[in-house]
Amino acid sequence: MKTIKKNGRKIEVVKMKYLTSKTWFDYASTSKYESWMAAINPIVNSINTLQKTEELYTPYRATFCMPKISDYSYTKVQAINKSNNTRYDAMETVITFANGDKVTVSCPIEEANQYTGFYTAIAKYAMGNSNKVNNEADYWINKLPKQKAKTEEKARRLKEQAKNIKRKKERRLQKEREDMEAKRLADKYKIKLIANKKYGVPLDFEP
């Protein structure tokens, strides 16, 4: 800040001009911004780290700790298909944990496997005893391949349609060329007939 060594009044005026100037405002704004950024950067870094972690892992993978199993069963049951309300034979896996939690999974008897049922029950429990594991498996095993197949089939049909359009265009152009050539030959023959009648020029004469 500029100071003038004359009297107190003059110095105060210079101070006031500086404090109300754009230079002081820019300096103050920059200082506050830098201070704010220095304070907020650790929080931003923590949020970014947490976001990257959540993109790679589910909360269950980070926190799941399976309690001790207190009971297990693998039995044949009558299950109900909710889509058409029909009954079918299924194998049901039931796991009870020492903390009182219980998880149940079932599978049609012709597709059932005891080890798969056990692993599926543990995975279901790890996902909060929800159908998230089943939904993910259904997406990657059934839905996604069908979507890809549908997309590929659509692309194949579009490609085939483009080829058909190209072939039709080529046939149309070929037909036009043939028609033009036929017309040219017909006109040429007419000219020969006229020349033959008027001047006796042979029809096989080529100029």
Side-chain angles (χ1 to χ4, degrees), residues 35-162:
S35 302
W36 180 80
M37 285 300 296
I40 203 69
N41 271 337
I43 300 175
V44 173
N45 292 335
S46 298
I47 293 174
N48 290 337
T49 303
L50 179 61
Q51 183 178 0
K52 291 178 181 179
T53 302
E54 289 179 348
E55 290 173 356
L56 296 175
Y57 306 101
T58 64
Y60 297 106
R61 182 172 179 178
T63 61
F64 174 66
C65 181
M66 188 178 72
K68 185 178 180 180
I69 296 174
S70 61
D71 193 19
Y72 162 77
S73 65
Y74 182 72
T75 57
K76 181 180 177 180
V77 297
Q78 280 284 309
I80 300 177
N81 189 336
K82 295 181 179 179
S83 62
N84 53 20
N85 200 29
T86 58
R87 292 181 176 275
Y88 63 94
D89 291 331
M91 296 303 297
E92 184 178 73
T93 300
V94 180
I95 297 178
T96 304
F97 297 93
N99 62 359
D101 292 340
K102 185 177 181 180
V103 61
T104 303
V105 296
S106 63
C107 181
I109 196 167
E110 62 273 9
E111 302 174 4
N113 178 278
Q114 192 166 0
Y115 278 94
T116 302
F118 188 90
Y119 300 148
T120 304
I122 297 299
K124 182 178 180 181
Y125 182 74
M127 292 295 118
N129 204 2
S130 67
N131 288 326
K132 185 173 181 179
V133 172
N134 184 65
N135 294 339
E136 287 291 325
D138 186 54
Y139 173 76
W140 287 99
I141 296 172
N142 296 318
K143 292 181 179 179
L144 185 60
K146 288 180 180 178
Q147 291 176 3
K148 288 182 177 180
K150 187 176 180 180
T151 302
E152 290 173 357
E153 177 62 19
K154 183 178 180 180
R156 186 194 66 78
R157 288 199 304 268
L158 291 175
K159 188 176 180 180
E160 187 64 26
Q161 288 176 2

